[in-house]
Amino acid sequence: MAKRWYVLHTYSGYENKVKTNLENRIESSGLEDLISKIEIPTEVVAEIKDDGKRVEGEKKVFPGYVLVRMEMTDQTWSIVRNTQGVTGFVGCQGKPAPLTREEYNKIMKRTAVDTPKETTTSLKVGQSVHVISGPLKDFDGTVTEIMADAGKVKVTISMFGRETPVELTFDQVAEI
Protein backbone atom coordinates (compact mmCIF):
# COMPACT_ATOMS: atom_id res chain seq x y z
CA MET A 1 0.00 0.00 0.00
CA ALA A 2 1.37 3.44 -0.95
CA LYS A 3 1.59 6.56 1.16
CA ARG A 4 -1.05 9.16 0.40
CA TRP A 5 -1.85 12.63 1.70
CA TYR A 6 -4.77 12.84 4.12
CA VAL A 7 -6.37 15.87 5.72
CA LEU A 8 -6.89 15.95 9.49
CA HIS A 9 -9.43 18.19 11.13
CA THR A 10 -8.11 19.72 14.36
CA TYR A 11 -9.28 22.17 16.94
CA SER A 12 -8.68 25.61 15.43
CA GLY A 13 -5.47 27.11 16.78
CA TYR A 14 -4.09 23.68 17.75
CA GLU A 15 -2.49 22.86 14.38
CA ASN A 16 1.12 23.27 15.60
CA LYS A 17 0.38 21.37 18.82
CA VAL A 18 -1.20 18.54 16.82
CA LYS A 19 1.88 18.38 14.56
CA THR A 20 4.20 18.18 17.58
CA ASN A 21 2.02 15.60 19.39
CA LEU A 22 1.73 13.50 16.25
CA GLU A 23 5.49 13.61 15.58
CA ASN A 24 6.14 12.44 19.16
CA ARG A 25 3.58 9.60 18.90
CA ILE A 26 5.00 8.46 15.53
CA GLU A 27 8.54 8.38 16.93
CA SER A 28 7.58 6.56 20.14
CA SER A 29 5.57 4.00 18.14
CA GLY A 30 8.33 3.49 15.57
CA LEU A 31 6.03 4.32 12.65
CA GLU A 32 8.34 6.74 10.82
CA ASP A 33 8.30 4.46 7.77
CA LEU A 34 4.46 4.54 7.59
CA ILE A 35 3.80 8.18 8.48
CA SER A 36 6.44 10.27 6.76
CA LYS A 37 5.37 13.91 6.65
CA ILE A 38 3.11 16.40 8.42
CA GLU A 39 2.34 19.78 6.84
CA ILE A 40 0.50 22.86 8.05
CA PRO A 41 -0.06 24.91 4.89
CA THR A 42 0.80 28.57 5.48
CA GLU A 43 1.28 31.62 3.28
CA VAL A 44 3.12 34.87 3.77
CA VAL A 45 0.85 37.90 4.07
CA ALA A 46 1.81 41.54 4.34
CA GLU A 47 -0.06 43.96 6.53
CA ILE A 48 0.25 47.71 6.62
CA LYS A 49 0.26 48.94 10.21
CA ASP A 50 -1.17 52.28 11.39
CA ASP A 51 2.24 53.94 11.05
CA GLY A 52 2.41 52.95 7.36
CA LYS A 53 5.05 50.26 7.90
CA ARG A 54 4.70 47.01 5.94
CA VAL A 55 4.96 43.92 8.17
CA GLU A 56 5.09 40.40 6.77
CA GLY A 57 3.86 37.39 8.69
CA GLU A 58 2.67 33.85 8.21
CA LYS A 59 -0.98 32.91 8.10
CA LYS A 60 -2.47 29.42 8.01
CA VAL A 61 -4.09 28.74 4.64
CA PHE A 62 -6.65 26.34 6.19
CA PRO A 63 -7.03 27.01 9.92
CA GLY A 64 -8.11 23.86 11.73
CA TYR A 65 -6.55 21.46 9.22
CA VAL A 66 -3.26 19.54 8.99
CA LEU A 67 -1.97 17.40 6.09
CA VAL A 68 -0.41 14.01 6.82
CA ARG A 69 1.41 11.76 4.33
CA MET A 70 0.91 8.21 5.50
CA GLU A 71 0.15 4.65 4.61
CA MET A 72 -3.37 3.99 5.89
CA THR A 73 -3.44 0.95 8.15
CA ASP A 74 -5.49 0.20 11.25
CA GLN A 75 -2.43 1.05 13.39
CA THR A 76 -1.60 4.35 11.67
CA TRP A 77 -5.28 5.37 11.61
CA SER A 78 -5.51 4.73 15.36
CA ILE A 79 -2.28 6.61 16.18
CA VAL A 80 -3.33 9.66 14.15
CA ARG A 81 -7.02 9.63 15.09
CA ASN A 82 -6.29 9.34 18.82
CA THR A 83 -3.73 12.15 18.91
CA GLN A 84 -4.74 14.97 21.24
CA GLY A 85 -6.30 17.86 19.30
CA VAL A 86 -7.31 15.75 16.26
CA THR A 87 -11.08 15.67 15.75
CA GLY A 88 -10.97 13.34 12.76
CA PHE A 89 -10.00 12.69 9.16
CA VAL A 90 -11.66 14.56 6.32
CA GLY A 91 -13.54 12.08 4.19
CA CYS A 92 -16.89 10.67 3.28
CA GLN A 93 -19.15 8.65 5.62
CA GLY A 94 -16.46 8.44 8.30
CA LYS A 95 -13.89 6.97 5.88
CA PRO A 96 -10.68 9.01 5.37
CA ALA A 97 -10.38 10.22 1.78
CA PRO A 98 -6.86 10.76 0.41
CA LEU A 99 -6.07 13.90 -1.57
CA THR A 100 -5.40 13.56 -5.26
CA ARG A 101 -1.98 14.74 -6.48
CA GLU A 102 -3.71 17.74 -8.12
CA GLU A 103 -5.45 18.72 -4.85
CA TYR A 104 -2.21 18.45 -2.89
CA ASN A 105 -0.30 20.49 -5.50
CA LYS A 106 -2.99 23.18 -5.49
CA ILE A 107 -2.88 23.46 -1.68
CA MET A 108 0.92 23.56 -1.54
CA LYS A 109 1.17 26.04 -4.43
CA ARG A 110 -0.42 28.61 -2.13
CA THR A 111 2.45 28.11 0.32
CA ALA A 112 5.22 28.49 -2.27
CA VAL A 113 7.61 31.39 -1.72
CA ASP A 114 7.17 32.78 -5.23
CA THR A 115 3.38 33.08 -5.03
CA PRO A 116 2.12 36.67 -4.87
CA LYS A 117 1.73 37.85 -1.31
CA GLU A 118 -1.71 38.82 -0.10
CA THR A 119 -1.71 42.27 1.40
CA THR A 120 -4.07 43.45 4.09
CA THR A 121 -4.63 46.91 5.44
CA SER A 122 -6.82 48.57 8.01
CA LEU A 123 -7.60 51.44 5.61
CA LYS A 124 -11.26 51.98 4.69
CA VAL A 125 -12.97 53.82 1.84
CA GLY A 126 -13.80 57.38 2.94
CA GLN A 127 -10.97 57.49 5.47
CA SER A 128 -8.57 60.43 5.63
CA VAL A 129 -4.91 59.62 5.03
CA HIS A 130 -1.58 61.43 5.01
CA VAL A 131 0.95 60.68 2.25
CA ILE A 132 4.25 59.81 3.97
CA SER A 133 6.51 59.11 0.96
CA GLY A 134 6.86 59.68 -2.75
CA PRO A 135 6.33 62.80 -4.87
CA LEU A 136 3.08 63.67 -3.04
CA LYS A 137 4.63 63.46 0.43
CA ASP A 138 2.88 65.61 3.06
CA PHE A 139 -0.41 65.86 1.13
CA ASP A 140 -3.62 64.71 2.79
CA GLY A 141 -6.41 62.93 0.98
CA THR A 142 -9.41 60.64 1.18
CA VAL A 143 -9.40 56.93 0.30
CA THR A 144 -11.77 56.24 -2.62
CA GLU A 145 -10.77 52.66 -3.48
CA ILE A 146 -8.70 49.85 -1.98
CA MET A 147 -6.96 47.40 -4.31
CA ALA A 148 -5.72 44.77 -1.85
CA ASP A 149 -4.47 42.35 -4.51
CA ALA A 150 -2.17 45.03 -5.92
CA GLY A 151 -1.26 46.48 -2.51
CA LYS A 152 -2.51 49.87 -3.66
CA VAL A 153 -5.04 52.46 -2.61
CA LYS A 154 -6.72 55.14 -4.69
CA VAL A 155 -6.73 58.49 -2.88
CA THR A 156 -8.32 61.78 -3.86
CA ILE A 157 -5.94 64.64 -3.06
CA SER A 158 -6.78 68.34 -3.30
CA MET A 159 -4.05 70.13 -5.26
CA PHE A 160 -3.97 73.11 -7.58
CA GLY A 161 -7.49 73.94 -6.44
CA ARG A 162 -9.06 70.72 -7.63
CA GLU A 163 -9.59 67.13 -6.50
CA THR A 164 -7.08 64.77 -8.13
CA PRO A 165 -7.29 60.96 -7.89
CA VAL A 166 -3.93 59.22 -7.42
CA GLU A 167 -2.85 55.61 -6.90
CA LEU A 168 -0.45 54.96 -4.04
CA THR A 169 0.96 51.84 -2.42
CA PHE A 170 -0.19 50.97 1.09
CA ASP A 171 3.21 51.89 2.54
CA GLN A 172 3.03 55.42 1.06
CA VAL A 173 0.07 56.45 3.24
CA ALA A 174 -0.72 56.57 6.95
CA GLU A 175 -4.03 56.97 8.70
CA ILE A 176 -4.77 60.41 10.11
Side-chain angles (χ1 to χ4, degrees):
M1 185 176 248
K3 290 182 192 158
R4 306 279 304 269
W5 283 101
Y6 293 88
V7 180
L8 299 179
H9 187 259
T10 69
Y11 295 119
S12 192
Y14 282 75
E15 301 87 357
N16 294 332
K17 189 87 171 135
V18 164
K19 181 177 180 178
T20 303
N21 290 343
L22 195 48
E23 288 169 342
N24 292 338
R25 293 195 74 194
I26 292 165
E27 189 177 330
S28 66
S29 303
L31 296 174
E32 295 94 335
D33 56 327
L34 296 176
I35 306 172
S36 59
K37 206 160 186 189
I38 304 164
E39 298 272 354
I40 303 170
T42 59
E43 62 186 348
V44 176
V45 294
E47 184 176 347
I48 307 302
K49 296 294 184 184
D50 293 340
D51 60 0
K53 298 272 190 266
R54 179 185 174 101
V55 179
E56 289 189 354
E58 258 189 0
K59 179 180 102 174
K60 290 177 179 67
V61 176
F62 301 110
Y65 294 93
V66 174
L67 304 180
V68 178
R69 183 170 171 78
M70 61 185 272
E71 189 174 310
M72 185 61 73
T73 67
D74 289 342
Q75 185 182 20
T76 58
W77 179 90
S78 180
I79 290 287
V80 172
R81 179 64 187 89
N82 295 312
T83 297
Q84 187 176 357
V86 174
T87 60
F89 281 92
V90 172
C92 188
Q93 298 173 341
K95 186 176 189 243
L99 292 173
T100 64
R101 174 53 69 188
E102 292 77 30
E103 290 169 330
Y104 174 77
N105 289 342
K106 194 178 227 181
I107 290 169
M108 296 314 288
K109 186 176 191 295
R110 289 192 64 181
T111 69
V113 177
D114 60 349
T115 55
K117 295 179 175 88
E118 176 184 319
T119 303
T120 59
T121 182
S122 57
L123 294 173
K124 308 268 185 281
V125 172
Q127 183 174 12
S128 295
V129 292
H130 182 72
V131 181
I132 56 173
S133 68
L136 300 172
K137 183 178 178 179
D138 295 329
F139 278 90
D140 291 334
T142 305
V143 176
T144 57
E145 185 181 345
I146 296 170
M147 299 163 280
D149 292 344
K152 293 184 177 184
V153 62
K154 197 171 276 185
V155 177
T156 300
I157 293 176
S158 180
M159 55 189 207
F160 311 123
R162 56 182 275 220
E163 299 291 308
T164 306
V166 294
E167 268 187 27
L168 302 166
T169 60
F170 288 155
D171 58 355
Q172 287 182 293
V173 297
E175 298 177 30
I176 295 181

